[in-house]
Amino acid sequence: MKSLTLRLDEALYLKISSLAERQRTTRSEVVRRALNICLDKDDRFAKGSVLELAHDLAGSLAGPSDLSSNKAYLKDFGR
């Protein structure tokens, strides 16, 4: 497990300490839980396949459907 040091103002430190005491756990555990909740809500860290993440974009462009498999489209590629 990696370690991280951070500075907290007195009020935040007391809130974390109080919650840890009420839950009978450590301040580190309280902070880890809070960070996980915050990061899980952030869409930038969404999980899933590329198709699941870009489902609103799939099929939004016009063009040949066999572009990646039809060698006729690769005739002048790289020139």
Side-chain angles (χ1 to χ4, degrees):
M1 185 176 292
K2 298 285 185 180
S3 178
L4 172 70
T5 303
L6 62 134
R7 297 185 186 277
L8 305 172
D9 60 45
E10 187 72 19
L12 184 54
Y13 179 83
L14 290 174
K15 286 179 184 179
I16 293 170
S17 295
S18 175
L19 182 58
E21 189 174 316
R22 285 194 314 269
Q23 293 182 348
R24 295 182 179 167
T25 188
T26 63
R27 290 186 301 268
S28 293
E29 183 60 28
V30 169
V31 172
R32 276 192 293 273
R33 286 183 200 157
L35 286 171
N36 275 317
I37 289 169
C38 179
L39 294 174
D40 286 346
K41 288 181 181 178
D42 193 331
D43 289 341
R44 291 177 294 175
F45 297 103
K47 295 178 181 163
S49 70
V50 173
L51 180 59
E52 290 169 342
L53 296 174
H55 71 279
D56 58 328
L57 301 174
S60 64
L61 300 176
S65 61
D66 60 347
L67 184 61
S68 66
S69 60
N70 190 331
K71 292 184 181 186
Y73 296 114
L74 299 174
K75 181 179 176 185
D76 292 326
F77 182 74
R79 293 186 185 158

